[in-house]
Amino acid sequence: MTDALKNDPLAALAWLVDSGADETIGEEPVNRLVAKPAEPARAPVAEAPRPMLKPASSFARPQPAAPAALPLESDSIGTAQSLAAAAKTLAELKAALEGFDGCALKKNCAHTVFADGNPASRIMFIGEAPGAEEDRQGLPFVGRAGKLLDKMMAAIELDRSTAYITNVLNWRPPQNRDPAPEEAAMCLPFLRRHIELVNPGIIILLGAVAARHVLGFSEGIMKLRGRWLEYRVGDVMIPVMATLHPAYLLRQPSHKRLAWRDLQAAEKKMLSLGLLEKTASVS
Ligand code: URA
């Protein structure tokens, strides 16, 4: 934070909100700049023996059963898969998500954020996760990043009546941190079903997290963006492109030109697939 911000409490508050620190986590302010009293020296603790990794051959032998009472993450993923598969419509899928308690993020959220836009559109945008404003309103991309997404869509003559928008995660991670792999794993069966039910003709992934979870690639977004890839639903391959996330573009406005290039390519593809009704062609 600059000295100018330190002397202007309102501007400093706006800076914090922009950085994602938009909620209080304690009743009393904490001055973290004051030196902490030194901790009393502790007696050394003997390290517990570490479990040995088993040789591959031992996996074939019968293993003792896991204690039945332990809640397993895979149980929740299994539940998510069956709930998602049973949903025959978007309304049923939304209701299934709202009734699903397997993802720990949900308990700190005001809303399950499902989607916005036109479900009959064949142009699907997928972002990362709701932020504070999205959690308040129960809709994706309605905060500052959402305003930029609206402008990005408008640049290729799309809006929320002609496109459909959702996220990989349906609940806001605290302080907008990256989703943990197990949190994403709970939401992915719902997202896959969401894609099947919308049946998009094209998918645009917004940012690295969406690209990683939807495509399963660990490459950085700068390598992935702008490339046409395919997402398979049954026998159908849906063209998919990742581009830069609008929240990233708010922090790195000089990279908007890269996103603009991607959007132009996306517009061209949509026109060639007959997904956009437009007479003017894109150069
Ligand atoms: N960022 C996202 O990825 N999704 C939202 O809904 C809002 C911000």
Side-chain angles (χ1 to χ4, degrees), residues 19-20 27 40 70 105 125 128 156 189 213 222-223:
S19 316
E27 292 297 318
L70 275 185
L105 293 173
F125 286 84
E128 174 179 336
I156 51 170
H213 290 296
M222 284 301 174
K223 284 216 173 120

Side-chain angles (χ1 to χ4, degrees), residues 82-196:
S82 359
L83 286 172
K88 299 284 174 277
T89 62
L90 289 172
E92 284 179 19
L93 187 67
K94 182 168 190 264
L97 258 168
E98 286 168 345
F100 174 67
D101 290 325
C103 181
L105 293 173
K106 187 181 187 181
K107 62 179 183 305
N108 296 318
C109 290
H111 284 103
T112 295
V113 177
F114 185 66
D116 196 16
N118 183 349
S121 162
R122 303 213 48 229
I123 300 164
M124 189 170 193
F125 286 84
I126 304 178
E128 174 179 336
E133 196 50 40
E134 287 76 20
D135 182 43
R136 257 188 291 279
Q137 295 191 35
L139 289 170
F141 284 100
V142 287
R144 282 188 70 220
K147 302 274 174 295
L148 180 54
L149 176 60
D150 286 339
K151 287 187 189 159
M152 290 163 71
M153 290 196 300
I156 51 170
E157 295 182 34
L158 290 174
D159 59 26
R160 292 179 192 233
S161 71
T162 51
Y164 188 76
I165 306 169
T166 189
N167 281 310
V168 173
L169 266 84
N170 304 94
W171 298 282
R172 181 196 182 204
Q175 275 82 50
N176 300 342
R177 63 161 167 72
D178 274 3
E182 62 276 14
E183 293 161 352
M186 306 289 170
C187 294
L188 279 173
F190 293 102
L191 179 66
R192 281 196 207 102
R193 186 73 185 129
H194 207 152
I195 296 173
E196 279 170 21

Side-chain angles (χ1 to χ4, degrees), residues 242-259:
T243 189
L244 302 173
H245 193 287
Y248 170 82
L249 294 173
L250 288 172
R251 297 191 299 273
Q252 294 288 339
S254 64
H255 286 172
K256 282 184 184 171
R257 67 191 163 79
L258 300 176

